[in-house]
Amino acid sequence: MATSDDRRRAVSDLATDLAVIAGAGSGKTTALVERFVSIAGQPGLGPDRVLALTFTEKAAAEMKGRIVRRFTDAGDEQRRRQTEAAYISTIHGFAARLLKENPFEAGVDPAFTVLAEFDQELLAEEALQAMYADPVLGAYAERLKKDRDGGWQLFDLVRRVARALREGTTQARREADLVL
C-alpha cells in the first residue's frame, strides 16, 4: 500500500468498489482481509455477499485462511462457515464456479473440467506434434512452434492458421504472416 491513508481507505471505504495494487510485502492481503471482514460484518451482509478475486491460487487460499481465522478468533462460527463457501478465488476459478453452477444457462456441458496448466501445455505440444506429422500442416507447425516460443499467443496464431487454410488464398496467408 502506498500510504497509511491509502490503506485506511482500502479497508474502510466500503461504498466504493476498488482494486488494491501494490508491490510484494506491502500489506495487500492484510488490507483485503480487513476489508472483507468489514463488509461481511455489515448488517444484512455476510461472506456469501462478497466477491474477492486474486491472481493466484496461493493468494486466494492465503486470503481465505486468514479470513476464516479472523471469524474463528471472533467466535463467529456462522460467518466462518459461510467463508468456507465464499467467492474468494482467482478470476479463472470464479468463472469456472459460475459455469459449474449455471451450465445450462451458459451453454456448457455440466461435466466440463478446467485443464491444469501442465495439461494445457501437454495438449499444445501434442497439437504441434500432430501438425508436424501432417504433410500439409507441417510447414505451419514449424512457424507455430517458433512463434509460440517467441511469446505469441497460441490461440491467436491458431486462428490465423485456420483462416488461411479455410480461405486458401495467398492474401489470407500473407495477412496471417504465414508465408514461409
Side-chain angles (χ1 to χ4, degrees):
M1 308 292 306
T3 67
S4 58
D5 288 339
D6 291 334
R7 180 184 174 81
R8 197 170 11 266
R9 179 170 177 247
V11 173
S12 64
D13 184 359
L14 304 182
T16 304
D17 293 335
L18 60 95
V20 176
I21 303 169
S26 61
K28 291 183 303 294
T29 303
T30 300
L32 291 172
V33 165
E34 290 174 24
R35 182 175 176 85
F36 187 103
V37 170
S38 293
I39 293 170
Q42 297 293 308
L45 298 179
D48 58 331
R49 302 286 309 228
V50 182
L51 172 62
L53 299 177
T54 67
F55 287 104
T56 67
E57 294 290 339
K58 181 180 177 185
E62 175 69 20
M63 188 181 305
K64 186 175 271 193
R66 288 188 192 186
I67 293 167
V68 165
R69 281 192 298 281
R70 288 284 300 273
F71 287 129
T72 299
D73 292 346
D76 192 339
E77 185 63 22
Q78 179 182 0
R79 286 196 173 98
R80 186 208 58 80
R81 279 194 315 273
Q82 289 174 335
T83 300
E84 296 291 343
Y87 286 105
I88 304 170
S89 68
T90 64
I91 193 162
H92 294 92
F94 175 66
R97 181 173 173 172
L98 285 179
L99 292 172
K100 285 284 187 188
E101 291 175 356
N102 304 283
F104 301 109
E105 294 88 343
V108 297
D109 182 343
F112 83 91
T113 60
V114 177
L115 292 178
E117 188 174 338
F118 173 80
D119 293 326
Q120 292 173 23
E121 288 295 320
L122 183 62
L123 283 176
E125 289 301 321
E126 288 174 356
L128 283 173
Q129 289 174 8
M131 286 180 76
Y132 276 118
D134 186 288
V136 174
L137 298 178
Y140 294 114
E142 184 59 37
R143 178 64 187 263
L144 180 60
K145 178 142 178 61
K146 180 171 53 175
D147 289 338
R148 182 168 168 257
D149 290 343
W152 279 41
Q153 294 295 319
L154 179 63
F155 293 110
D156 182 50
L157 194 53
V158 169
R159 181 184 51 77
R160 289 179 180 194
V161 169
R163 178 173 173 240
L165 290 173
R166 184 180 64 245
E167 294 181 7
T169 65
T170 304
Q171 180 62 31
R173 288 188 178 121
R174 280 195 188 106
E175 288 175 15
D177 296 324
L178 296 170
V179 175
L180 302 172

